[in-house]
Amino acid sequence: MAVLCLLAGPVSAVGPVDLDIAPQELTTALEQFSRATGMAVLVDHGLSSRRHTLGVQGRFTPAQGLNVLLNGTGLVAHYARTDAFTLQPVQVREVPLPAGGAPGLSGSNYAAAIQAGIQRNLCRSALTRPGGYRALLQVWIGRDGVVQHSRLVSSTGDSVRDRALVNSLQNLRIDRPAPSSLRQPVTLLLLPDSSGRRMECIAGDGEPGQ
Protein backbone atom coordinates (compact mmCIF):
# COMPACT_ATOMS: atom_id res chain seq x y z
CA MET A 1 0.00 0.00 0.00
CA ALA A 2 1.35 3.44 -0.92
CA VAL A 3 2.20 5.77 1.94
CA LEU A 4 0.85 9.26 1.40
CA CYS A 5 2.06 12.31 3.30
CA LEU A 6 0.61 15.80 3.21
CA LEU A 7 3.22 18.55 3.29
CA ALA A 8 2.02 22.11 3.73
CA GLY A 9 3.71 25.42 4.38
CA PRO A 10 2.28 28.16 6.61
CA VAL A 11 0.81 30.50 3.99
CA SER A 12 0.53 29.99 0.26
CA ALA A 13 2.67 32.43 -1.75
CA VAL A 14 0.79 34.58 -4.27
CA GLY A 15 3.65 36.00 -6.32
CA PRO A 16 7.26 35.08 -7.05
CA VAL A 17 9.39 33.72 -4.21
CA ASP A 18 13.11 33.19 -3.76
CA LEU A 19 13.96 29.50 -3.87
CA ASP A 20 17.30 27.96 -2.94
CA ILE A 21 16.85 24.18 -2.94
CA ALA A 22 20.01 22.16 -3.56
CA PRO A 23 20.18 18.86 -5.46
CA GLN A 24 18.97 16.13 -3.09
CA GLU A 25 16.35 13.45 -2.56
CA LEU A 26 13.03 14.61 -3.98
CA THR A 27 11.04 13.95 -0.80
CA THR A 28 13.15 16.31 1.32
CA ALA A 29 13.27 18.88 -1.49
CA LEU A 30 9.47 18.90 -1.64
CA GLU A 31 9.36 19.58 2.10
CA GLN A 32 11.58 22.61 1.58
CA PHE A 33 9.51 23.73 -1.39
CA SER A 34 6.31 23.45 0.63
CA ARG A 35 7.74 25.54 3.48
CA ALA A 36 9.03 28.20 1.07
CA THR A 37 5.83 28.55 -0.98
CA GLY A 38 3.07 27.42 1.38
CA MET A 39 1.81 25.00 -1.25
CA ALA A 40 0.26 21.75 -0.01
CA VAL A 41 1.94 18.65 -1.44
CA LEU A 42 0.37 15.20 -1.27
CA VAL A 43 3.40 12.92 -1.65
CA ASP A 44 3.31 9.24 -2.53
CA HIS A 45 6.56 7.99 -1.01
CA GLY A 46 6.50 5.07 -3.41
CA LEU A 47 7.12 7.61 -6.17
CA SER A 48 9.28 10.26 -4.52
CA SER A 49 11.57 8.33 -2.18
CA ARG A 50 13.60 6.73 -4.98
CA ARG A 51 14.11 9.89 -6.96
CA HIS A 52 16.43 12.88 -6.83
CA THR A 53 15.97 16.46 -7.95
CA LEU A 54 18.52 18.79 -9.47
CA GLY A 55 17.14 21.51 -7.22
CA VAL A 56 15.98 25.02 -8.01
CA GLN A 57 17.68 28.34 -7.36
CA GLY A 58 16.28 31.76 -8.19
CA ARG A 59 13.12 33.81 -8.06
CA PHE A 60 10.06 32.03 -9.47
CA THR A 61 6.34 31.80 -9.08
CA PRO A 62 5.47 28.60 -7.18
CA ALA A 63 4.31 26.90 -10.40
CA GLN A 64 7.49 27.85 -12.27
CA GLY A 65 9.69 26.75 -9.38
CA LEU A 66 7.89 23.43 -9.15
CA ASN A 67 8.46 22.76 -12.84
CA VAL A 68 12.19 23.36 -12.39
CA LEU A 69 12.27 21.21 -9.25
CA LEU A 70 10.61 18.28 -11.04
CA ASN A 71 12.73 18.55 -14.18
CA GLY A 72 14.61 15.30 -14.69
CA THR A 73 12.63 13.35 -12.05
CA GLY A 74 10.16 11.62 -14.37
CA LEU A 75 7.26 13.11 -12.37
CA VAL A 76 4.81 15.93 -13.06
CA ALA A 77 2.46 17.89 -10.84
CA HIS A 78 -1.29 17.40 -10.90
CA TYR A 79 -3.04 20.38 -9.31
CA ALA A 80 -6.02 19.80 -7.04
CA ARG A 81 -6.25 23.58 -6.65
CA THR A 82 -3.88 26.49 -7.21
CA ASP A 83 -2.10 25.93 -3.90
CA ALA A 84 -2.16 22.13 -3.70
CA PHE A 85 -0.87 19.35 -5.92
CA THR A 86 -0.01 15.67 -6.11
CA LEU A 87 2.68 13.97 -8.19
CA GLN A 88 2.22 11.44 -10.94
CA PRO A 89 4.54 9.67 -13.39
CA VAL A 90 4.99 11.38 -16.73
CA GLN A 91 3.26 9.97 -19.78
CA VAL A 92 3.87 10.54 -23.46
CA ARG A 93 1.42 13.08 -24.84
CA GLU A 94 -0.38 12.20 -28.06
CA VAL A 95 1.01 14.40 -30.82
CA PRO A 96 0.31 14.33 -34.55
CA LEU A 97 3.05 13.07 -36.82
CA PRO A 98 4.68 15.71 -39.07
CA ALA A 99 2.98 16.08 -42.43
CA GLY A 100 4.52 13.58 -44.82
CA GLY A 101 6.63 12.11 -42.02
CA ALA A 102 8.19 8.75 -42.77
CA PRO A 103 7.15 5.80 -40.62
CA GLY A 104 9.44 5.15 -37.68
CA LEU A 105 12.02 2.44 -37.67
CA SER A 106 11.60 -0.52 -35.38
CA GLY A 107 13.73 -2.49 -32.98
CA SER A 108 17.47 -2.00 -33.04
CA ASN A 109 17.27 0.39 -36.02
CA TYR A 110 15.30 2.96 -34.05
CA ALA A 111 17.54 2.40 -31.01
CA ALA A 112 20.46 3.38 -33.24
CA ALA A 113 18.60 6.53 -34.33
CA ILE A 114 18.04 7.48 -30.67
CA GLN A 115 21.70 6.91 -29.83
CA ALA A 116 22.87 8.97 -32.80
CA GLY A 117 20.58 11.91 -31.96
CA ILE A 118 21.54 11.98 -28.29
CA GLN A 119 25.21 11.51 -29.06
CA ARG A 120 25.27 14.52 -31.38
CA ASN A 121 23.49 16.58 -28.76
CA LEU A 122 25.81 15.63 -25.92
CA CYS A 123 28.90 16.27 -28.04
CA ARG A 124 27.97 19.95 -28.40
CA SER A 125 29.28 20.76 -24.92
CA ALA A 126 32.52 19.80 -23.18
CA LEU A 127 30.49 19.38 -19.98
CA THR A 128 28.21 16.69 -21.41
CA ARG A 129 30.64 15.14 -23.92
CA PRO A 130 30.55 11.35 -23.34
CA GLY A 131 33.59 9.46 -22.13
CA GLY A 132 34.42 11.00 -18.77
CA TYR A 133 31.47 9.95 -16.65
CA ARG A 134 28.79 7.34 -16.06
CA ALA A 135 25.07 8.13 -16.00
CA LEU A 136 21.76 6.33 -16.30
CA LEU A 137 18.91 8.24 -17.92
CA GLN A 138 15.38 7.58 -19.10
CA VAL A 139 13.58 9.50 -21.84
CA TRP A 140 9.99 9.56 -23.07
CA ILE A 141 9.77 10.17 -26.84
CA GLY A 142 6.65 11.36 -28.65
CA ARG A 143 5.44 9.94 -31.95
CA ASP A 144 6.98 12.97 -33.68
CA GLY A 145 10.42 11.99 -32.39
CA VAL A 146 10.67 14.79 -29.80
CA VAL A 147 11.85 14.00 -26.28
CA GLN A 148 8.97 15.09 -24.04
CA HIS A 149 10.35 14.12 -20.64
CA SER A 150 13.53 12.79 -19.09
CA ARG A 151 14.65 11.29 -15.80
CA LEU A 152 18.15 11.13 -14.35
CA VAL A 153 18.16 7.73 -12.64
CA SER A 154 21.75 7.84 -11.40
CA SER A 155 23.94 10.91 -10.94
CA THR A 156 27.23 11.52 -12.74
CA GLY A 157 28.62 12.67 -9.40
CA ASP A 158 28.61 16.30 -10.54
CA SER A 159 25.40 18.28 -9.98
CA VAL A 160 26.35 20.85 -12.64
CA ARG A 161 26.86 18.11 -15.22
CA ASP A 162 23.65 16.40 -14.11
CA ARG A 163 21.69 19.58 -14.77
CA ALA A 164 23.39 20.09 -18.14
CA LEU A 165 22.54 16.52 -19.16
CA VAL A 166 18.87 16.89 -18.31
CA ASN A 167 18.63 20.33 -19.92
CA SER A 168 20.30 19.05 -23.10
CA LEU A 169 17.49 16.52 -23.57
CA GLN A 170 14.66 19.03 -23.40
CA ASN A 171 12.78 19.04 -26.72
CA LEU A 172 15.57 17.08 -28.41
CA ARG A 173 14.33 15.77 -31.76
CA ILE A 174 15.32 12.32 -33.00
CA ASP A 175 15.78 12.19 -36.78
CA ARG A 176 12.83 9.83 -37.30
CA PRO A 177 9.31 9.57 -35.85
CA ALA A 178 8.99 6.98 -33.11
CA PRO A 179 7.32 3.69 -33.97
CA SER A 180 4.08 2.96 -32.12
CA SER A 181 5.71 -0.19 -30.72
CA LEU A 182 8.39 1.80 -28.87
CA ARG A 183 8.34 0.92 -25.17
CA GLN A 184 8.49 3.95 -22.89
CA PRO A 185 10.59 5.13 -21.21
CA VAL A 186 13.76 4.45 -23.18
CA THR A 187 16.70 3.77 -20.85
CA LEU A 188 20.14 5.15 -21.74
CA LEU A 189 23.41 4.15 -20.09
CA LEU A 190 26.35 6.49 -20.66
CA LEU A 191 29.70 4.87 -19.86
CA PRO A 192 33.23 6.26 -19.34
CA ASP A 193 36.24 5.53 -21.53
CA SER A 194 37.38 2.63 -19.36
CA SER A 195 34.26 0.59 -20.16
CA GLY A 196 35.18 0.14 -23.81
CA ARG A 197 31.50 0.66 -24.76
CA ARG A 198 31.12 4.41 -24.61
CA MET A 199 29.64 6.85 -27.10
CA GLU A 200 32.30 8.67 -29.12
CA CYS A 201 32.22 12.19 -30.51
CA ILE A 202 33.33 12.27 -34.13
CA ALA A 203 34.63 15.11 -36.31
CA GLY A 204 31.84 17.58 -36.98
CA ASP A 205 30.01 16.88 -33.72
CA GLY A 206 29.76 19.72 -31.26
CA GLU A 207 30.92 23.29 -31.42
CA PRO A 208 34.44 24.53 -30.61
CA GLY A 209 34.86 26.39 -27.38
CA GLN A 210 31.94 24.83 -25.53
Side-chain angles (χ1 to χ4, degrees), residues 81-102:
R81 57 179 192 264
T82 56
D83 63 346
F85 65 90
T86 60
L87 300 178
Q88 59 188 26
V90 299
Q91 295 181 344
V92 175
R93 301 185 305 273
E94 290 296 329
V95 292
L97 288 172

Side-chain angles (χ1 to χ4, degrees), residues 81-163:
R81 57 179 192 264
T82 56
D83 63 346
F85 65 90
T86 60
L87 300 178
Q88 59 188 26
V90 299
Q91 295 181 344
V92 175
R93 301 185 305 273
E94 290 296 329
V95 292
L97 288 172
L105 299 176
S106 60
S108 60
N109 287 332
Y110 193 70
I114 294 173
Q115 179 173 337
I118 290 178
Q119 176 178 310
R120 285 195 304 271
N121 200 55
L122 296 181
C123 287
R124 291 184 179 135
S125 168
L127 189 60
T128 58
R129 186 181 294 271
Y133 59 89
R134 184 185 191 279
L136 186 64
L137 302 133
Q138 291 179 325
V139 294
W140 285 256
I141 304 173
R143 287 293 308 281
D144 55 356
V146 175
V147 174
Q148 296 182 358
H149 302 283
S150 65
R151 179 190 173 199
L152 183 64
V153 180
S154 67
S155 172
T156 65
D158 182 331
S159 61
V160 176
R161 178 181 282 121
D162 289 347
R163 185 173 290 107

Side-chain angles (χ1 to χ4, degrees), residues 1 11 22 42 45 47 53 60 77 79 81 95 101 138 140 142 182 186-187 193-194 200-201:
M1 181 179 295
V11 180
L42 185 62
H45 282 277
L47 287 177
T53 174
F60 301 93
Y79 287 88
R81 57 179 192 264
V95 292
Q138 291 179 325
W140 285 256
L182 182 66
V186 177
T187 300
D193 291 342
S194 58
E200 292 186 358
C201 295

